Amino acid sequence: MKALKVKEHIISSVDGKDKIYTLENDVYVRDVIIDANIGDEVMIAHLPDVHFNYCNLADYDSGDEVVISTGEHRKWLSNGASVPKLRRCLEVSDDADQYVFNGDTLDYLSKGAMELMDKEIWDKIPGAIATIGGHERAKQMQGKVSEVDTIEDRYKILEGYWRHDIYYHSRLVKNKVLVVGYCNDRAYITPDALEKFKADIELCRKNGYVMVMFAHEPVATHNPDHKEFPIDWVMTEGDPSGSPWNFCDGFILGGTRGNETSREFYDILINSADVIKGVFAGHYHNDMEIPINGKLPDGTDVLIPQYLGTAVAYGKGHVMRILIK
C-alpha cells in the first residue's frame, strides 16, 4: 500500500483483525484479516458500488431516449464524479493481488458509463473481476422515460460488453486462493453458474485451495438474530434509512427469493465451509459483518464470515482490504 499516514481511527476490534480508518488522502479503509492457513498472504481490494454516472456523445447520438432522460435527471455523481474517488481507492490498494469491483460499478447502462469502466478499470487492471448489480441492467435511473428494452435484452448488452462471464467467473491467485465473482441479482443463479460452482468446490478440495466469494448482494445467514440487523457503521454521506434489514431469510439469495437453481447453489455454499473462507457483498452501501450459518462436510456447524463494504462512491472513497493468511 502506498505510504500514506493514518488520519483518524474510526473502529478497531479487540483482536485487531477488523478496523476502519481514514488516510491522509481522506479515503476510508476497512481492513479484514482471514486466517485460512494458506502458508502465504493474498491481498484482495474489495471495491463495491463505484456508480459511474456519465452519458457521452455516443449516448446522445444513439437516440436512446431512456438513457438520455436518465442522463438529464440523474444528478448524483453526474459527469463521472466518482472517478477521482475510485482513483484514490486504487492509490491505497496498489499492492493488491486481486481487485474485485463488486456490483453497481455502472450507475446505469450507458455508453458513457462503459467508457469510464474501460478507461478506469478494464484497461488499467488486467485480471480484474467485476460482478453485476441492479444498476448495471437499468437504463432508467430517475429518468422520465420508462424502460423500453426487456431485462433480457439489457443483460445481452452486458454479456457482450463485459470482459469475463457476468454470471460466474473465478480466478486462482498465487496458487492458493480461488476468487469467485458471481451474479445473484434478484437471487437468481443460472444453471451454467451452478455447474461451474460445483466444479470449483471440487477443484479446491482436490488441490487444497481456499475460496472467497463476491456478489453484489449478500446471502441469507439463517440466523434468527439477523431478522433485524443494524448497520455496523455509516459514513456521514451514507444512507441508513433502511436499517435494520432482514438478513436471516429475507429477499436475498437463500431467503424468500430465487429459483430451484439458486436454492441448490445456496445449499452447496453453506455446506462448503471447509473451502469457503469468506463471502463479500456491497449493495447496502454500509459496512456490516453478518456471518452465515454454515457446515463442514462432516456436519459440524461453523460460521462463514460475510462482510459488506461501504460504497466507493461515498465521501472521498472507501476500500476494503482483505488479507488472507
Side-chain angles (χ1 to χ4, degrees), residues 228-261:
E228 293 187 353
F229 194 89
I231 57 175
D232 283 5
W233 167 78
V234 61
M235 289 179 59
T236 303
E237 202 177 326
D239 176 17
S241 59
S243 178
W245 293 284
N246 178 6
F247 292 112
C248 172
D249 53 4
F251 212 44
I252 51 179
L253 181 67
T256 58
R257 196 179 195 185
N259 55 9
E260 185 176 344
T261 304

PDB file of all heavy atoms in Angstrom, residues 228-261:
ATOM      1  N   GLU A 228     -33.545  -8.564  12.118  1.00  0.00           N
ATOM      2  CA  GLU A 228     -33.496  -7.107  12.164  1.00  0.00           C
ATOM      3  C   GLU A 228     -32.063  -6.714  12.492  1.00  0.00           C
ATOM      4  O   GLU A 228     -31.704  -6.529  13.644  1.00  0.00           O
ATOM      5  CB  GLU A 228     -34.470  -6.545  13.197  1.00  0.00           C
ATOM      6  CG  GLU A 228     -35.926  -6.764  12.830  1.00  0.00           C
ATOM      7  CD  GLU A 228     -36.870  -6.055  13.777  1.00  0.00           C
ATOM      8  OE1 GLU A 228     -36.409  -5.500  14.798  1.00  0.00           O
ATOM      9  OE2 GLU A 228     -38.080  -6.049  13.500  1.00  0.00           O
ATOM     10  N   PHE A 229     -31.259  -6.615  11.444  1.00  0.00           N
ATOM     11  CA  PHE A 229     -29.818  -6.431  11.631  1.00  0.00           C
ATOM     12  C   PHE A 229     -29.439  -4.988  11.341  1.00  0.00           C
ATOM     13  O   PHE A 229     -29.680  -4.481  10.249  1.00  0.00           O
ATOM     14  CB  PHE A 229     -29.042  -7.367  10.705  1.00  0.00           C
ATOM     15  CG  PHE A 229     -27.586  -7.491  11.050  1.00  0.00           C
ATOM     16  CD1 PHE A 229     -27.154  -8.450  11.954  1.00  0.00           C
ATOM     17  CD2 PHE A 229     -26.642  -6.639  10.495  1.00  0.00           C
ATOM     18  CE1 PHE A 229     -25.809  -8.574  12.276  1.00  0.00           C
ATOM     19  CE2 PHE A 229     -25.301  -6.742  10.812  1.00  0.00           C
ATOM     20  CZ  PHE A 229     -24.883  -7.719  11.710  1.00  0.00           C
ATOM     21  N   PRO A 230     -28.810  -4.292  12.298  1.00  0.00           N
ATOM     22  CA  PRO A 230     -28.427  -2.902  12.076  1.00  0.00           C
ATOM     23  C   PRO A 230     -27.084  -2.801  11.365  1.00  0.00           C
ATOM     24  O   PRO A 230     -26.302  -3.747  11.340  1.00  0.00           O
ATOM     25  CB  PRO A 230     -28.320  -2.347  13.499  1.00  0.00           C
ATOM     26  CG  PRO A 230     -27.862  -3.534  14.300  1.00  0.00           C
ATOM     27  CD  PRO A 230     -28.522  -4.750  13.669  1.00  0.00           C
ATOM     28  N   ILE A 231     -26.795  -1.632  10.817  1.00  0.00           N
ATOM     29  CA  ILE A 231     -25.503  -1.401  10.197  1.00  0.00           C
ATOM     30  C   ILE A 231     -24.419  -1.367  11.262  1.00  0.00           C
ATOM     31  O   ILE A 231     -24.663  -1.014  12.408  1.00  0.00           O
ATOM     32  CB  ILE A 231     -25.497  -0.075   9.402  1.00  0.00           C
ATOM     33  CG1 ILE A 231     -25.872   1.098  10.312  1.00  0.00           C
ATOM     34  CG2 ILE A 231     -26.416  -0.152   8.218  1.00  0.00           C
ATOM     35  CD1 ILE A 231     -25.776   2.435   9.638  1.00  0.00           C
ATOM     36  N   ASP A 232     -23.179  -1.750  10.868  1.00  0.00           N
ATOM     37  CA  ASP A 232     -22.034  -1.640  11.777  1.00  0.00           C
ATOM     38  C   ASP A 232     -21.631  -0.185  11.950  1.00  0.00           C
ATOM     39  O   ASP A 232     -21.323   0.276  13.032  1.00  0.00           O
ATOM     40  CB  ASP A 232     -20.826  -2.389  11.194  1.00  0.00           C
ATOM     41  CG  ASP A 232     -20.944  -3.888  11.369  1.00  0.00           C
ATOM     42  OD1 ASP A 232     -21.983  -4.336  11.852  1.00  0.00           O
ATOM     43  OD2 ASP A 232     -19.993  -4.599  11.016  1.00  0.00           O
ATOM     44  N   TRP A 233     -21.605   0.520  10.825  1.00  0.00           N
ATOM     45  CA  TRP A 233     -21.035   1.864  10.807  1.00  0.00           C
ATOM     46  C   TRP A 233     -21.476   2.528   9.520  1.00  0.00           C
ATOM     47  O   TRP A 233     -21.628   1.880   8.495  1.00  0.00           O
ATOM     48  CB  TRP A 233     -19.520   1.745  10.851  1.00  0.00           C
ATOM     49  CG  TRP A 233     -18.760   3.000  10.547  1.00  0.00           C
ATOM     50  CD1 TRP A 233     -18.538   4.055  11.383  1.00  0.00           C
ATOM     51  CD2 TRP A 233     -18.116   3.327   9.322  1.00  0.00           C
ATOM     52  NE1 TRP A 233     -17.788   5.007  10.749  1.00  0.00           N
ATOM     53  CE2 TRP A 233     -17.512   4.591   9.478  1.00  0.00           C
ATOM     54  CE3 TRP A 233     -17.983   2.688   8.090  1.00  0.00           C
ATOM     55  CZ2 TRP A 233     -16.791   5.220   8.480  1.00  0.00           C
ATOM     56  CZ3 TRP A 233     -17.261   3.308   7.095  1.00  0.00           C
ATOM     57  CH2 TRP A 233     -16.675   4.549   7.289  1.00  0.00           C
ATOM     58  N   VAL A 234     -21.741   3.822   9.579  1.00  0.00           N
ATOM     59  CA  VAL A 234     -22.170   4.506   8.367  1.00  0.00           C
ATOM     60  C   VAL A 234     -21.414   5.826   8.241  1.00  0.00           C
ATOM     61  O   VAL A 234     -21.219   6.544   9.220  1.00  0.00           O
ATOM     62  CB  VAL A 234     -23.697   4.738   8.360  1.00  0.00           C
ATOM     63  CG1 VAL A 234     -24.122   5.613   9.520  1.00  0.00           C
ATOM     64  CG2 VAL A 234     -24.149   5.351   7.048  1.00  0.00           C
ATOM     65  N   MET A 235     -20.969   6.125   7.025  1.00  0.00           N
ATOM     66  CA  MET A 235     -20.339   7.413   6.791  1.00  0.00           C
ATOM     67  C   MET A 235     -21.393   8.501   6.842  1.00  0.00           C
ATOM     68  O   MET A 235     -22.589   8.245   6.681  1.00  0.00           O
ATOM     69  CB  MET A 235     -19.650   7.420   5.422  1.00  0.00           C
ATOM     70  CG  MET A 235     -18.415   6.560   5.354  1.00  0.00           C
ATOM     71  SD  MET A 235     -17.656   6.593   3.719  1.00  0.00           S
ATOM     72  CE  MET A 235     -17.319   8.332   3.540  1.00  0.00           C
ATOM     73  N   THR A 236     -20.933   9.730   7.029  1.00  0.00           N
ATOM     74  CA  THR A 236     -21.851  10.865   7.089  1.00  0.00           C
ATOM     75  C   THR A 236     -22.742  10.915   5.853  1.00  0.00           C
ATOM     76  O   THR A 236     -23.924  11.215   5.923  1.00  0.00           O
ATOM     77  CB  THR A 236     -21.054  12.187   7.198  1.00  0.00           C
ATOM     78  OG1 THR A 236     -20.218  12.114   8.348  1.00  0.00           O
ATOM     79  CG2 THR A 236     -21.979  13.368   7.331  1.00  0.00           C
ATOM     80  N   GLU A 237     -22.157  10.573   4.724  1.00  0.00           N
ATOM     81  CA  GLU A 237     -22.886  10.651   3.466  1.00  0.00           C
ATOM     82  C   GLU A 237     -23.750   9.410   3.231  1.00  0.00           C
ATOM     83  O   GLU A 237     -24.537   9.357   2.295  1.00  0.00           O
ATOM     84  CB  GLU A 237     -21.881  10.812   2.322  1.00  0.00           C
ATOM     85  CG  GLU A 237     -22.442  11.412   1.050  1.00  0.00           C
ATOM     86  CD  GLU A 237     -21.366  11.599  -0.007  1.00  0.00           C
ATOM     87  OE1 GLU A 237     -20.221  11.890   0.357  1.00  0.00           O
ATOM     88  OE2 GLU A 237     -21.689  11.454  -1.199  1.00  0.00           O
ATOM     89  N   GLY A 238     -23.602   8.394   4.060  1.00  0.00           N
ATOM     90  CA  GLY A 238     -24.325   7.150   3.867  1.00  0.00           C
ATOM     91  C   GLY A 238     -25.807   7.280   4.169  1.00  0.00           C
ATOM     92  O   GLY A 238     -26.269   8.258   4.739  1.00  0.00           O
ATOM     93  N   ASP A 239     -26.551   6.250   3.784  1.00  0.00           N
ATOM     94  CA  ASP A 239     -27.999   6.256   3.992  1.00  0.00           C
ATOM     95  C   ASP A 239     -28.399   5.045   4.819  1.00  0.00           C
ATOM     96  O   ASP A 239     -28.517   3.947   4.297  1.00  0.00           O
ATOM     97  CB  ASP A 239     -28.727   6.230   2.654  1.00  0.00           C
ATOM     98  CG  ASP A 239     -30.241   6.146   2.820  1.00  0.00           C
ATOM     99  OD1 ASP A 239     -30.725   6.423   3.935  1.00  0.00           O
ATOM    100  OD2 ASP A 239     -30.928   5.814   1.846  1.00  0.00           O
ATOM    101  N   PRO A 240     -28.618   5.225   6.130  1.00  0.00           N
ATOM    102  CA  PRO A 240     -29.020   4.111   6.981  1.00  0.00           C
ATOM    103  C   PRO A 240     -30.541   3.965   7.087  1.00  0.00           C
ATOM    104  O   PRO A 240     -31.042   3.281   7.956  1.00  0.00           O
ATOM    105  CB  PRO A 240     -28.438   4.519   8.340  1.00  0.00           C
ATOM    106  CG  PRO A 240     -28.555   6.008   8.340  1.00  0.00           C
ATOM    107  CD  PRO A 240     -28.362   6.454   6.911  1.00  0.00           C
ATOM    108  N   SER A 241     -31.279   4.621   6.185  1.00  0.00           N
ATOM    109  CA  SER A 241     -32.736   4.712   6.352  1.00  0.00           C
ATOM    110  C   SER A 241     -33.438   3.365   6.292  1.00  0.00           C
ATOM    111  O   SER A 241     -34.514   3.204   6.845  1.00  0.00           O
ATOM    112  CB  SER A 241     -33.321   5.637   5.282  1.00  0.00           C
ATOM    113  OG  SER A 241     -33.036   5.156   3.977  1.00  0.00           O
ATOM    114  N   GLY A 242     -32.832   2.395   5.608  1.00  0.00           N
ATOM    115  CA  GLY A 242     -33.478   1.091   5.525  1.00  0.00           C
ATOM    116  C   GLY A 242     -33.141   0.171   6.676  1.00  0.00           C
ATOM    117  O   GLY A 242     -33.672  -0.933   6.774  1.00  0.00           O
ATOM    118  N   SER A 243     -32.236   0.604   7.551  1.00  0.00           N
ATOM    119  CA  SER A 243     -31.790  -0.241   8.660  1.00  0.00           C
ATOM    120  C   SER A 243     -32.843  -0.271   9.757  1.00  0.00           C
ATOM    121  O   SER A 243     -33.484   0.753  10.026  1.00  0.00           O
ATOM    122  CB  SER A 243     -30.480   0.329   9.214  1.00  0.00           C
ATOM    123  OG  SER A 243     -30.022  -0.405  10.321  1.00  0.00           O
ATOM    124  N   PRO A 244     -33.048  -1.414  10.434  1.00  0.00           N
ATOM    125  CA  PRO A 244     -32.361  -2.692  10.228  1.00  0.00           C
ATOM    126  C   PRO A 244     -32.954  -3.487   9.070  1.00  0.00           C
ATOM    127  O   PRO A 244     -34.079  -3.242   8.639  1.00  0.00           O
ATOM    128  CB  PRO A 244     -32.592  -3.397  11.558  1.00  0.00           C
ATOM    129  CG  PRO A 244     -33.926  -2.895  12.007  1.00  0.00           C
ATOM    130  CD  PRO A 244     -33.986  -1.460  11.571  1.00  0.00           C
ATOM    131  N   TRP A 245     -32.175  -4.494   8.606  1.00  0.00           N
ATOM    132  CA  TRP A 245     -32.600  -5.323   7.489  1.00  0.00           C
ATOM    133  C   TRP A 245     -32.719  -6.784   7.928  1.00  0.00           C
ATOM    134  O   TRP A 245     -32.091  -7.210   8.898  1.00  0.00           O
ATOM    135  CB  TRP A 245     -31.584  -5.233   6.353  1.00  0.00           C
ATOM    136  CG  TRP A 245     -31.516  -3.887   5.709  1.00  0.00           C
ATOM    137  CD1 TRP A 245     -32.403  -3.341   4.828  1.00  0.00           C
ATOM    138  CD2 TRP A 245     -30.490  -2.902   5.871  1.00  0.00           C
ATOM    139  NE1 TRP A 245     -31.995  -2.089   4.436  1.00  0.00           N
ATOM    140  CE2 TRP A 245     -30.830  -1.783   5.061  1.00  0.00           C
ATOM    141  CE3 TRP A 245     -29.313  -2.831   6.625  1.00  0.00           C
ATOM    142  CZ2 TRP A 245     -30.045  -0.642   4.977  1.00  0.00           C
ATOM    143  CZ3 TRP A 245     -28.535  -1.691   6.542  1.00  0.00           C
ATOM    144  CH2 TRP A 245     -28.903  -0.610   5.731  1.00  0.00           C
ATOM    145  N   ASN A 246     -33.492  -7.548   7.165  1.00  0.00           N
ATOM    146  CA  ASN A 246     -33.651  -8.980   7.428  1.00  0.00           C
ATOM    147  C   ASN A 246     -32.637  -9.756   6.602  1.00  0.00           C
ATOM    148  O   ASN A 246     -32.854 -10.019   5.421  1.00  0.00           O
ATOM    149  CB  ASN A 246     -35.068  -9.437   7.095  1.00  0.00           C
ATOM    150  CG  ASN A 246     -35.264 -10.936   7.321  1.00  0.00           C
ATOM    151  OD1 ASN A 246     -34.380 -11.623   7.824  1.00  0.00           O
ATOM    152  ND2 ASN A 246     -36.423 -11.440   6.946  1.00  0.00           N
ATOM    153  N   PHE A 247     -31.518 -10.106   7.223  1.00  0.00           N
ATOM    154  CA  PHE A 247     -30.508 -10.919   6.554  1.00  0.00           C
ATOM    155  C   PHE A 247     -30.644 -12.392   6.909  1.00  0.00           C
ATOM    156  O   PHE A 247     -29.897 -13.218   6.404  1.00  0.00           O
ATOM    157  CB  PHE A 247     -29.105 -10.431   6.920  1.00  0.00           C
ATOM    158  CG  PHE A 247     -28.776  -9.079   6.360  1.00  0.00           C
ATOM    159  CD1 PHE A 247     -28.616  -7.989   7.184  1.00  0.00           C
ATOM    160  CD2 PHE A 247     -28.635  -8.895   5.001  1.00  0.00           C
ATOM    161  CE1 PHE A 247     -28.314  -6.738   6.674  1.00  0.00           C
ATOM    162  CE2 PHE A 247     -28.339  -7.651   4.464  1.00  0.00           C
ATOM    163  CZ  PHE A 247     -28.183  -6.567   5.307  1.00  0.00           C
ATOM    164  N   CYS A 248     -31.581 -12.726   7.765  1.00  0.00           N
ATOM    165  CA  CYS A 248     -31.791 -14.123   8.137  1.00  0.00           C
ATOM    166  C   CYS A 248     -32.381 -14.910   6.973  1.00  0.00           C
ATOM    167  O   CYS A 248     -31.800 -15.904   6.522  1.00  0.00           O
ATOM    168  CB  CYS A 248     -32.715 -14.206   9.356  1.00  0.00           C
ATOM    169  SG  CYS A 248     -33.240 -15.890   9.770  1.00  0.00           S
ATOM    170  N   ASP A 249     -33.510 -14.466   6.478  1.00  0.00           N
ATOM    171  CA  ASP A 249     -34.203 -15.198   5.425  1.00  0.00           C
ATOM    172  C   ASP A 249     -35.020 -14.241   4.564  1.00  0.00           C
ATOM    173  O   ASP A 249     -36.117 -14.571   4.122  1.00  0.00           O
ATOM    174  CB  ASP A 249     -35.100 -16.283   6.015  1.00  0.00           C
ATOM    175  CG  ASP A 249     -36.061 -15.727   7.076  1.00  0.00           C
ATOM    176  OD1 ASP A 249     -36.079 -14.493   7.292  1.00  0.00           O
ATOM    177  OD2 ASP A 249     -36.790 -16.526   7.681  1.00  0.00           O
ATOM    178  N   GLY A 250     -34.481 -13.050   4.340  1.00  0.00           N
ATOM    179  CA  GLY A 250     -35.210 -12.023   3.613  1.00  0.00           C
ATOM    180  C   GLY A 250     -35.173 -12.201   2.113  1.00  0.00           C
ATOM    181  O   GLY A 250     -34.986 -13.305   1.583  1.00  0.00           O
ATOM    182  N   PHE A 251     -35.282 -11.059   1.424  1.00  0.00           N
ATOM    183  CA  PHE A 251     -35.459 -11.043  -0.024  1.00  0.00           C
ATOM    184  C   PHE A 251     -34.116 -11.138  -0.737  1.00  0.00           C
ATOM    185  O   PHE A 251     -33.759 -10.290  -1.556  1.00  0.00           O
ATOM    186  CB  PHE A 251     -36.176  -9.739  -0.392  1.00  0.00           C
ATOM    187  CG  PHE A 251     -37.075  -9.851  -1.586  1.00  0.00           C
ATOM    188  CD1 PHE A 251     -37.927 -10.924  -1.752  1.00  0.00           C
ATOM    189  CD2 PHE A 251     -37.072  -8.858  -2.553  1.00  0.00           C
ATOM    190  CE1 PHE A 251     -38.766 -11.011  -2.865  1.00  0.00           C
ATOM    191  CE2 PHE A 251     -37.905  -8.923  -3.662  1.00  0.00           C
ATOM    192  CZ  PHE A 251     -38.751 -10.006  -3.824  1.00  0.00           C
ATOM    193  N   ILE A 252     -33.313 -12.163  -0.374  1.00  0.00           N
ATOM    194  CA  ILE A 252     -31.972 -12.320  -0.903  1.00  0.00           C
ATOM    195  C   ILE A 252     -31.714 -13.803  -1.173  1.00  0.00           C
ATOM    196  O   ILE A 252     -32.535 -14.663  -0.831  1.00  0.00           O
ATOM    197  CB  ILE A 252     -30.910 -11.781   0.079  1.00  0.00           C
ATOM    198  CG1 ILE A 252     -31.120 -12.363   1.483  1.00  0.00           C
ATOM    199  CG2 ILE A 252     -30.916 -10.258   0.117  1.00  0.00           C
ATOM    200  CD1 ILE A 252     -30.103 -11.908   2.517  1.00  0.00           C
ATOM    201  N   LEU A 253     -30.561 -14.109  -1.779  1.00  0.00           N
ATOM    202  CA  LEU A 253     -30.205 -15.493  -2.079  1.00  0.00           C
ATOM    203  C   LEU A 253     -30.200 -16.330  -0.801  1.00  0.00           C
ATOM    204  O   LEU A 253     -29.581 -15.960   0.189  1.00  0.00           O
ATOM    205  CB  LEU A 253     -28.826 -15.541  -2.736  1.00  0.00           C
ATOM    206  CG  LEU A 253     -28.314 -16.932  -3.137  1.00  0.00           C
ATOM    207  CD1 LEU A 253     -29.157 -17.508  -4.264  1.00  0.00           C
ATOM    208  CD2 LEU A 253     -26.849 -16.874  -3.553  1.00  0.00           C
ATOM    209  N   GLY A 254     -30.921 -17.455  -0.836  1.00  0.00           N
ATOM    210  CA  GLY A 254     -31.048 -18.293   0.346  1.00  0.00           C
ATOM    211  C   GLY A 254     -32.206 -17.899   1.225  1.00  0.00           C
ATOM    212  O   GLY A 254     -32.476 -18.543   2.236  1.00  0.00           O
ATOM    213  N   GLY A 255     -32.917 -16.837   0.845  1.00  0.00           N
ATOM    214  CA  GLY A 255     -34.076 -16.380   1.609  1.00  0.00           C
ATOM    215  C   GLY A 255     -35.365 -16.695   0.879  1.00  0.00           C
ATOM    216  O   GLY A 255     -35.572 -17.811   0.402  1.00  0.00           O
ATOM    217  N   THR A 256     -36.213 -15.687   0.750  1.00  0.00           N
ATOM    218  CA  THR A 256     -37.545 -15.903   0.174  1.00  0.00           C
ATOM    219  C   THR A 256     -37.590 -15.684  -1.326  1.00  0.00           C
ATOM    220  O   THR A 256     -38.662 -15.714  -1.924  1.00  0.00           O
ATOM    221  CB  THR A 256     -38.565 -14.964   0.849  1.00  0.00           C
ATOM    222  OG1 THR A 256     -38.132 -13.609   0.660  1.00  0.00           O
ATOM    223  CG2 THR A 256     -38.684 -15.258   2.330  1.00  0.00           C
ATOM    224  N   ARG A 257     -36.453 -15.453  -1.927  1.00  0.00           N
ATOM    225  CA  ARG A 257     -36.414 -15.140  -3.356  1.00  0.00           C
ATOM    226  C   ARG A 257     -35.493 -16.107  -4.077  1.00  0.00           C
ATOM    227  O   ARG A 257     -34.536 -16.597  -3.503  1.00  0.00           O
ATOM    228  CB  ARG A 257     -35.897 -13.710  -3.536  1.00  0.00           C
ATOM    229  CG  ARG A 257     -36.142 -13.098  -4.899  1.00  0.00           C
ATOM    230  CD  ARG A 257     -35.605 -11.674  -4.915  1.00  0.00           C
ATOM    231  NE  ARG A 257     -36.107 -10.915  -6.038  1.00  0.00           N
ATOM    232  CZ  ARG A 257     -35.721  -9.693  -6.347  1.00  0.00           C
ATOM    233  NH1 ARG A 257     -34.816  -9.086  -5.590  1.00  0.00           N
ATOM    234  NH2 ARG A 257     -36.227  -9.056  -7.383  1.00  0.00           N
ATOM    235  N   GLY A 258     -35.787 -16.387  -5.358  1.00  0.00           N
ATOM    236  CA  GLY A 258     -34.899 -17.228  -6.140  1.00  0.00           C
ATOM    237  C   GLY A 258     -35.633 -18.360  -6.829  1.00  0.00           C
ATOM    238  O   GLY A 258     -36.862 -18.454  -6.805  1.00  0.00           O
ATOM    239  N   ASN A 259     -34.872 -19.251  -7.434  1.00  0.00           N
ATOM    240  CA  ASN A 259     -35.426 -20.393  -8.139  1.00  0.00           C
ATOM    241  C   ASN A 259     -34.759 -21.668  -7.623  1.00  0.00           C
ATOM    242  O   ASN A 259     -33.952 -21.638  -6.683  1.00  0.00           O
ATOM    243  CB  ASN A 259     -35.219 -20.241  -9.646  1.00  0.00           C
ATOM    244  CG  ASN A 259     -33.756 -20.029 -10.018  1.00  0.00           C
ATOM    245  OD1 ASN A 259     -32.864 -20.160  -9.183  1.00  0.00           O
ATOM    246  ND2 ASN A 259     -33.513 -19.702 -11.273  1.00  0.00           N
ATOM    247  N   GLU A 260     -35.082 -22.778  -8.219  1.00  0.00           N
ATOM    248  CA  GLU A 260     -34.531 -24.058  -7.751  1.00  0.00           C
ATOM    249  C   GLU A 260     -33.016 -24.091  -7.876  1.00  0.00           C
ATOM    250  O   GLU A 260     -32.321 -24.601  -6.988  1.00  0.00           O
ATOM    251  CB  GLU A 260     -35.153 -25.208  -8.559  1.00  0.00           C
ATOM    252  CG  GLU A 260     -34.732 -26.587  -8.079  1.00  0.00           C
ATOM    253  CD  GLU A 260     -35.443 -27.701  -8.821  1.00  0.00           C
ATOM    254  OE1 GLU A 260     -36.468 -27.431  -9.477  1.00  0.00           O
ATOM    255  OE2 GLU A 260     -34.955 -28.856  -8.744  1.00  0.00           O
ATOM    256  N   THR A 261     -32.503 -23.521  -8.958  1.00  0.00           N
ATOM    257  CA  THR A 261     -31.060 -23.490  -9.163  1.00  0.00           C
ATOM    258  C   THR A 261     -30.371 -22.668  -8.085  1.00  0.00           C
ATOM    259  O   THR A 261     -29.324 -23.055  -7.544  1.00  0.00           O
ATOM    260  CB  THR A 261     -30.729 -22.904 -10.548  1.00  0.00           C
ATOM    261  OG1 THR A 261     -31.413 -23.654 -11.553  1.00  0.00           O
ATOM    262  CG2 THR A 261     -29.231 -22.955 -10.816  1.00  0.00           C
TER     263      THR A 261
END
